[in-house]
Amino acid sequence: MKFTMNLKEFNTMASKVLTVIPKSSLISLEYVKLELENGILKMSGTDISQFLTVKNDDVYGDIEDGITYIHMDDLKLASKLNGREIEIKTIKEDKENNEALIQARCGKKTIKIPSLCDNEVKYLQENESYKKSFEVSSSWFYETIVKLKEFTHEDEIRGVFHNILFSAREQCAKGINTFMIGIREYRDNVKVYDDRDILLSRFYVPTLKKVLDSKTDEIIEVLVGENDVILVKNEHFSLFLKEKWGEMPKTDRFFDIETPISFELKVNPTKDILKFDMAIKCDKKTSNPIILKKADGKLNAILVSKSIVMDELETNDLIMDDDFVIGLDMNYLNTILSTANTETISCVGKNAVTQLIFTSDDYKMLLLPVKINSK
């Protein structure tokens, strides 16, 4: 193997692949596969549940195809180098003993790195069993998984509720936990090819954030293959993910309620109020509810802590009884406001002991109230 490429681009590839590689008792998982073929450099890594390959065709100089496996700690050395370009070449290869030596040169500095000729880890490859499920822009997919992740549970003990569901039948993506539901409608943003629902674990989001571009409309393809594997790809990367099986509960009935309560809430001023209240609440380990109470035709937010803090909320079209009082978890309410992609968010509900439904453009969210002390 031999090639030269821009050092920054090399380090960008490495940082993406290192996202999936664990410090493991299985040493073979700590190696990154470097493969150069027909002028395309591929870096691959896995933790067994995720298999990531990133690609770059901007290699130059004296090019020789080849494969080698470099330990993650040795690959990180490149991030400490200073220079414009890096040259990588194999200077020794002993396939019988599975030993190799790689030379990395950057500017006046040369590093010789031990590597492997082969590795027992078998990397997944796309084959004819993979069928396209849907395609979507990178920016839409990025925003959706980042925001809906906050509506899922942090542990797998909760069954399917640590997953984000992409539902072809319901034409939406959704996350669910004990107190909240977050839904983003597909509308014209997702092109669906089959009717299979896909569950994407929240634990894959850090890797997806690394490989997806949050600002471009380049197309991302999502495919489903045999053995419960999802493939997310474009021309720059391929990410194989073990699908988390299960069935999400239907949510339509939770949104189909009478709504005698309604108002529009200005998002950023309310977030500022919550930021202040969350900073001063008396017990950092528990979630003091914020109380919404109507008085004198206005809606107020009240926090009872060591002090009592009351703010008048900025609302439009406020419709509710004068004695309306409801308690909401501050962190969950902040999640909903942070998900909104409009200046105001509409809210409807039935009464003080049932769910509130929030809508912002293509997002629809539900929040259950919490019990408050009537004293």
Side-chain angles (χ1 to χ4, degrees), residues 14 17-24 26-33 69-79 113-114:
V17 172
L18 290 171
T19 304
V20 306
I21 296 181
K23 274 289 187 181
S24 172
L26 186 61
I27 190 67
S28 57
L29 292 180
E30 296 182 2
Y31 280 81
V32 175
K33 180 182 179 182
Y69 297 82
I70 301 178
H71 191 270
M72 59 185 295
D73 292 336
D74 294 325
L75 188 61
K76 290 176 183 177
L77 289 174
S79 66
I113 303 170

Side-chain angles (χ1 to χ4, degrees), residues 124-140:
L124 297 182
Q125 301 289 331
E126 184 178 355
N127 56 46
E128 62 183 12
S129 74
Y130 283 84
K131 306 299 181 185
K132 189 186 293 189
S133 178
F134 64 88
E135 64 182 29
V136 62
S137 73
S138 180
S139 57
W140 192 94

Side-chain angles (χ1 to χ4, degrees), residues 231-268:
L231 170 57
V232 183
K233 71 171 189 174
N234 69 3
E235 60 181 328
H236 305 298
F237 74 88
S238 298
L239 177 60
F240 295 85
L241 304 168
K242 295 292 182 69
E243 185 173 17
K244 306 296 184 180
W245 282 99
E247 186 174 352
M248 286 277 201
K250 301 296 182 183
T251 57
D252 290 349
R253 62 189 177 93
F254 299 116
F255 290 87
D256 186 17
I257 61 172
E258 297 178 8
T259 56
I261 298 164
S262 67
F263 58 94
E264 285 190 351
L265 189 62
K266 292 192 176 180
V267 173
N268 286 332

